[in-house]
Amino acid sequence: MNNDREKIKQCLMGLWSGQVRWDAPMADYCTLKVGGEAWAVLAPTDSDSIVRITNGLSAEGFAWRVIGQGSNLLVPDEGYHGAILVMGSGYGAIRMVNEAGEAVRLEVEAGCRLGRLLNWSLEKGLAGLEFVVGIPGTLGGAVVMNAGAIGREMKDVIDLVTILDGAGEVHTRTQDQLSFTYRSWGEPPESILLSARLVLDQGDGDQLRETCRELMRARRGRQPWGMANAGSIFKNPPGGYAGKLIETTGLKGLQVGGAMVSEEHANVIVNTGKATATDVITLMHEVRDQVLTRHGISLEPEIHMLTVRPWE
Ligand SMILES: Cc1cc2nc3c(=O)[nH]c(=O)nc-3n(C[C@H](O)[C@H](O)[C@H](O)COP(=O)(O)OP(=O)(O)OC[C@H]3O[C@@H](n4cnc5c(N)ncnc54)[C@H](O)[C@@H]3O)c2cc1C
């Protein structure tokens, strides 16, 4: 691993002529608003650049990670010693591919926000994505996390995906060639989701909008508003709910520094204003240990930790 902060600048400047934010506070790039600095943050706008930059960084031994909106991300206080590629709105095009009978196929780039994708499909009267209403994040993050709600998941709308694999090769995979499970797309962590083809159904725009409004109303009562958070911290254990286990252990409101178990939803940790990543991690350990003692169940984190090459 190349640990030279200055050398990464030279390397990146040879790979990318667009903007780079050096020594960037990662709290700006994740919804929990904690974490130290990344050496470099950039937002490529096309797949050729993503391939060139990641292959070039890997060849020189520099660490890199791809992120979306950072809505399921915990960045350590020591930051990230490498480059962060943000899949943002510049790499978020939506294109109708074909309309065959009831089914409609869309090609969507990884950086497209879920909210924009949902609005776009509602405007066209396309059904199938209503479950993402109120889930922040990008298409890429949602596929990688197999994000879901109300019994539906991203895998239910995926037709095929275009991936840049760990060897630096681009290829496509159909839905049945992927191994989606609960909150995972089953690919190695070094794989990048470049784009996905989604399959939706023809529907009634007004009716779909009303369904989304109802789902949003139900959501509002169940999650904290106005305080930075990263959604569910722990995965639900088989046959149960992490939130219920945490609540019945009496941990709502438990606080470490500026991090607190939400009063509204026990499986959410909120940043009350000045939390550090260490506060959040310490609180997660405390919650996991107390739930294990009380219920004999060991909770696994759902949130992803932004560490240097977690696959090594
Ligand atoms: C208020 C709130 C409510 C939420 N509700 C839900 C919910 O109901 N259901 C649910 O499932 N989740 C929920 N979440 C969690 C989160 O919104 C989803 O997991 C979302 O899909 C993450 O997308 P993102 O773009 O923010 O990913 P990020 O947080 O940026 O990244 C998550 C992981 O995916 C990787 N990644 C991101 N993009 C790519 C890419 N293109 N290629 C390869 N790897 C990539 C990152 O490296 C990281 O490991 C909620 C979060 C919040 C804050």
Side-chain angles (χ1 to χ4, degrees), residues 31 65-73 87 110 134-138 140-142 144-145 147-149 183 191-193 219 223 229-231 302 304:
T31 59
R65 278 282 291 271
V66 167
I67 67 167
Q69 201 184 334
S71 63
N72 203 56
L73 212 56
M87 302 289 115
I135 305 181
T138 58
V144 168
M145 297 302 304
R183 297 298 171 262
S191 292
I192 299 175
L193 185 286
R219 216 169 224 285
Q223 67 187 39
N229 71 83
E302 174 173 322
H304 283 199

